[in-house]
C-alpha cells in the first residue's frame, strides 16, 4: 500500500497543490484504490507485479478522460519521436484504440497499408494469429512494426462490409515525406501535405519556390485530405506561407496559463532559429487563388490550417466535413523516461470557432463517394470533449459498435476482392481535385451548387 500511495503522490501532486492550494486530497478514494490493489495482490488467481498494476491504474485513469490523452512509457516516447521524424519500418498506419480494439486513424500514402486499401475507421481485430481486443496500443504497434520484407496478416472489420477482410501485407521501410508537390498544368500548382512533421514548413517552402521557377501561378490547390495532423508549429508555418505577416492563425484556451496562446503568422511561432523559411518566396504567393481540399480524415493540425485560411477568406475550402479534433495535447515529462500526453486546451480558429466534435464545414461541398456515412469522426469517439457551447448538454453521438466474437470463426473476405484505392492528386481520377481546378478557373463545379457556410465575421 505504501508503494501505491508513494507512486500516486509522486505524480506531480505537489505541483498541482502549488497551482491550487484549495484542491482537497481525496483520501477516501485513495484508500479505495489501495484496497483494490491489496485484494488483487493477495487474491487474484495469478501473481501480478506491482509495476503492471500501477501502470494499468494510470492507463485507466488517463484513458477515461478523452480519446487523445495517454500515458507514455519509454517505448511510447520513442514512437512519438518516430511520428514527428517520419521514418520507421512497418506498414504505414496511424492507429488508436476504440472500444478495446485497434482502430485505423489514417493510412499513410504510398505505403503497404495504403496500397492494399486499408481505410480510416477500420478495426484491426487480429494481427497474424493474435486478437487485438484488450491489447495495449504500444504492443499492437510493436507487432505491426518489423524488418522490411517480412510478411504480416491483418484481419480487419469495416463498417460497410459484412465480413471481416484479410490483408496479406509485406513490411517496408516507411520514410514518410510530408509534402508532395506537382504542377498539374502550366500555372496551376498542387501541394499535398500528408502530415505535419518537423520539416513540413521547409518542404513547403521548397515546393512553392519550385513552382515560381516555372513562372507565375494562376492557382494553387492545397490538399489536406486524410491528413491526421501532427506538430502545431508546423500547422502555423503552412498557414503563414499564405497569410499576411502577423495574421492570427489559431488561439488556444485552457485552465493553466501555459494553455492560453495566440499564434500568429510570424517566424517566432513556427521556427525556432535561423532565417524565416518563407523569406525569399515571391510576394504573389500571399494572393494566388487557392482551394483547400478536406475530407473526414482531415484532423487536428490540418483543420487548424483549413480553418485559418477559411476565416481569413484566403482560400475556398472544398470537400466534405472534417474530423473535428479541436483539442491540444501537451507532453508532460514524468520520472523514469515516462510522460503524460494530456489534453490541456481547446483551439479556436481566428474567427473564434471551436471545431471540437464538429469539424470544418467546407465552403463548397464536393463528395466523391469516399465519405461513408459510417465514417468515424471525433464526435463518435467515447469520452470526446464537447464544444464549449454544448458543455453539459446531452447528446447521443456514439456510433453502433462492431461486435466481434473471438470464440466464433468468422468468414473472411480477401482484400483483393475490394475496389482499389485511387491516388490523391492524380488527374482525372481524383474527382475532388478536378472540381478544385474548375473552381480556380471559374468553371462550374460538379456537386457543389450550394455554398454551405456563411461569410465569417472578423
Amino acid at each position: 500500500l505504501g508503494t501505491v500511495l508513494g507512486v500516486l503522490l509522486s505524480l506531480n501532486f505537489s505541483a498541482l497543490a502549488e497551482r491550487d492550494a484549495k484542491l482537497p486530497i481525496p483520501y477516501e478514494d485513495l484508500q479505495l484504490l489501495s484496497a483494490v490493489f491489496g485484494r488483487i495482490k493477495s487474491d487474484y488467481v495469478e501473481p501480478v507485479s506491482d509495476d503492471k498494476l500501477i501502470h494499468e491504474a494510470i492507463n485507466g485513469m488517463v484513458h477515461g478522460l478523452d480519446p487523445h490523452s495517454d500515458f507514455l512509457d519509454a517505448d511510447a516516447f520513442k514512437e512519438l519521436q518516430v511520428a514527428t521524424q517520419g521514418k520507421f519500418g512497418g506498414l504505414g498506419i496511424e492507429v488508436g484504440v476504440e472500444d478495446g480494439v485497434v482502430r485505423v486513424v489514417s493510412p499513410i500514402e504510398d505505403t503497404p497499408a495504403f496500397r492494399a486499401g486499408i481505410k480510416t475507421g477500420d478495426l484491426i481485430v487480429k494481427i497474424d494469429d493474435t486478437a487485438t481486443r484488450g491489447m495495449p496500443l504500444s504492443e499492437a504497434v510493436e507487432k505491426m512494426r518489423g524488418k522490411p520484407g517480412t510478411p504480416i496478416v491483418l484481419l480487419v472489420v469495416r463498417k460497410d462490409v459484412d465480413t471481416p477482410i484479410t490483408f496479406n501485407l509485406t513490411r517496408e521501410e516507411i520514410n514518410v515525406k510530408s509534402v508532395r508537390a506537382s504542377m498539374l498544368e502550366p500555372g496551376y500548382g498542387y501541394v499535398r501535405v500528408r502530415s505535419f512533421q518537423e520539416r513540413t514548413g521547409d518542404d513547403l517552402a521548397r515546393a512553392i519556390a519550385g513552382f515560381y521557377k516555372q513562372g507565375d501561378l494562376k492557382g494553387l490547390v492545397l490538399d489536406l485530405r486524410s491528413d491526421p495532423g501532427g506538430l502545431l508549429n508546423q500547422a502555423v508555418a503552412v498557414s503563414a506561407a499564405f497569410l499576411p505577416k502577423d495574421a492570427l492563425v489559431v488561439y488556444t484556451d485552457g485552465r493553466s496559463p501555459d494553455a492560453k496562446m495566440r499564434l500568429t503568422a510570424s517566424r517566432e511561432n513556427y521556427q525556432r532559429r535561423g532565417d524565416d523559411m518563407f523569406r525569399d518566396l515571391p510576394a504573389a504567393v500571399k494572393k494566388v487563388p487557392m482551394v483547400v481540399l478536406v475530407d473526414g480524415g482531415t484532423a487536428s493540425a490540418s483543420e487548424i490550417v483549413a480553418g485559418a485560411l477559411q476565416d481569413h477568406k484566403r482560400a475556398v475550402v472544398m470537400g466534405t466535413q472534417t474530423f473535428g479534433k479541436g483539442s491540444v495535447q501537451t507532453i508532460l515529462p514524468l520520472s523514469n523516461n515516462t510522460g503524460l500526453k494530456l489534453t490541456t486546451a481547446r483551439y479556436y480558429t481566428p474567427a473564434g470557432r471551436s471545431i471540437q466534435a464538429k469539424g470544418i464545414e467546407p465552403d463548397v461541398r464536393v463528395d466523391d463517394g469516399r465519405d461513408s456515412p459510417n465514417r468515424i469522426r471525433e464526435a463518435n469517439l467515447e469520452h470526446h470533449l464537447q464544444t464549449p457551447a454544448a458543455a453539459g448538454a446531452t447528446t447521443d453521438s456514439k456510433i453502433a459498435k462492431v461486435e466481434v466474437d473471438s470464440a466464433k470463426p468468422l468468414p473472411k473476405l480477401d482484400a483483393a476482392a475490394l475496389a482499389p484505392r485511387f491516388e490523391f492528386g492524380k488527374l482525372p481520377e481524383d474527382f475532388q481535385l478536378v472540381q478544385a481546378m474548375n473552381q480556380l478557373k471559374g468553371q462550374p463545379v460538379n456537386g457543389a451548387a450550394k455554398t454551405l457556410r456563411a461569410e465569417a465575421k472578423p
Side-chain angles (χ1 to χ4, degrees):
L1 301 184
T3 301
V4 175
L5 292 176
V7 171
L8 290 172
L9 292 174
S10 73
L11 296 181
N12 291 334
F13 276 8
S14 59
L16 292 175
E18 291 178 4
R19 288 187 182 179
D20 189 351
K22 298 180 180 180
L23 182 66
I25 298 177
Y27 288 111
E28 292 184 1
D29 292 330
L30 290 177
Q31 287 176 341
L32 177 60
L33 177 61
S34 64
V36 172
F37 181 91
R39 282 295 186 180
I40 294 174
K41 290 291 292 181
S42 62
D43 297 347
Y44 187 66
V45 63
E46 295 177 350
V48 185
S49 69
D50 293 346
D51 182 70
K52 177 176 173 58
L53 286 178
I54 292 169
H55 279 78
E56 291 299 334
I58 295 172
N59 283 329
M61 178 167 51
V62 175
H63 291 165
L65 298 174
D66 68 82
H68 309 294
S69 293
D70 200 5
F71 171 68
L72 304 175
D73 58 18
D75 291 335
F77 263 124
K78 291 180 182 178
E79 291 299 324
L80 185 64
Q81 186 177 20
V82 164
T84 58
Q85 292 179 345
K87 184 176 181 179
F88 55 91
L91 303 176
I93 317 174
E94 181 177 349
V95 293
V97 174
E98 174 72 13
D99 194 29
V101 179
V102 177
R103 174 178 57 83
V104 176
V105 174
S106 182
I108 301 169
E109 277 187 71
D110 196 25
T111 63
F114 184 90
R115 292 192 296 267
I118 290 178
K119 297 182 178 181
T120 297
D122 284 350
L123 299 179
I124 301 174
V125 296
K126 272 190 177 182
I127 301 172
D128 288 328
D129 294 325
T130 305
T132 63
R133 182 175 293 278
M135 180 184 294
L137 184 60
S138 59
E139 182 181 342
V141 170
E142 185 177 353
K143 286 182 177 294
M144 287 187 281
R145 293 269 171 92
K147 185 178 180 181
T150 57
I152 184 173
V153 179
L154 301 183
L155 185 64
V156 165
V157 171
R158 184 172 293 169
K159 281 289 182 180
D160 49 1
V161 177
D162 293 335
T163 58
I165 309 165
T166 301
F167 288 91
N168 293 280
L169 304 172
T170 301
R171 296 179 179 90
E172 295 179 5
E173 179 174 293
I174 309 299
N175 191 358
V176 181
K177 295 180 180 178
S178 67
V179 174
R180 178 164 60 88
S182 62
M183 194 70 83
L184 297 173
E185 58 183 71
Y188 291 91
Y190 171 82
V191 176
R192 170 151 180 78
V193 180
R194 297 169 171 173
S195 62
F196 291 82
Q197 301 170 5
E198 291 176 353
R199 299 195 58 81
T200 296
D202 293 294
D203 293 342
L204 175 64
R206 281 192 292 271
I208 295 173
F211 289 149
Y212 279 95
K213 285 180 180 178
Q214 303 177 52
D216 290 338
L217 286 178
K218 301 175 184 177
L220 179 67
V221 178
L222 178 62
D223 190 352
L224 301 178
R225 290 174 294 177
S226 296
D227 181 334
L231 299 177
L232 176 60
N233 69 320
Q234 295 302 303
V236 176
V238 171
S239 303
F242 307 108
L243 292 175
K245 189 177 186 306
D246 297 328
L248 181 62
V249 175
V250 62
Y251 68 92
T252 65
D253 189 27
R255 295 173 62 197
S256 71
D258 293 341
K260 302 177 188 296
M261 297 185 294
R262 291 179 66 85
L263 300 177
T264 61
S266 54
R267 187 194 64 81
E268 59 268 21
N269 288 325
Y270 57 79
Q271 192 170 348
R272 295 175 183 171
R273 59 182 67 88
D275 294 331
D276 190 338
M277 62 182 74
F278 303 124
R279 183 187 62 178
D280 297 327
L281 292 183
V285 74
K286 303 285 187 180
K287 296 182 179 180
V288 62
M290 285 183 64
V291 170
V292 178
L293 289 176
V294 298
D295 64 8
T298 303
S300 192
S302 53
E303 291 177 288
I304 289 176
V305 175
L309 297 180
Q310 187 180 56
D311 281 0
H312 286 291
K313 302 180 181 66
R314 178 62 188 86
V316 173
V317 177
M318 179 181 291
T320 55
Q321 182 184 6
T322 63
F323 185 80
K325 181 183 177 293
S327 60
V328 179
Q329 284 68 47
T330 302
I331 307 301
L332 306 173
L334 302 175
S335 60
N336 299 325
N337 295 320
T338 63
L340 191 62
K341 185 176 76 168
L342 192 66
T343 299
T344 55
R346 290 180 172 89
Y347 72 75
Y348 297 82
T349 69
R353 294 182 292 157
S354 171
I355 64 167
Q356 172 59 26
K358 294 192 300 184
I360 297 287
E361 286 287 347
D363 299 308
V364 179
R365 182 176 178 82
V366 175
D367 188 351
D368 63 357
R370 294 181 303 110
D371 209 7
S372 164
N374 291 322
R375 186 166 197 163
I376 294 176
R377 288 183 167 85
E378 176 80 8
N380 306 124
L381 303 181
E382 285 193 272
H383 309 302
H384 69 268
L385 294 178
Q386 299 293 329
T387 56
T394 58
T395 179
D396 184 19
S397 60
K398 294 181 182 178
I399 58 173
K401 301 293 183 183
V402 177
E403 296 296 334
V404 179
D405 185 356
S406 58
K408 181 180 179 181
L410 294 170
K412 300 178 183 180
L413 177 65
D414 192 274
L418 301 176
R421 179 191 293 275
F422 84 99
E423 181 180 349
F424 288 122
K426 186 176 181 180
L427 294 174
E429 292 88 346
D430 190 337
F431 177 77
Q432 290 175 320
L433 180 57
V434 171
Q435 305 314 311
M437 290 290 287
N438 289 343
Q439 175 75 29
L440 291 171
K441 294 177 179 180
Q443 299 175 357
V445 176
N446 189 4
K450 185 179 180 181
T451 298
L452 301 181
R453 178 178 170 270
E455 290 292 317
K457 297 180 179 181

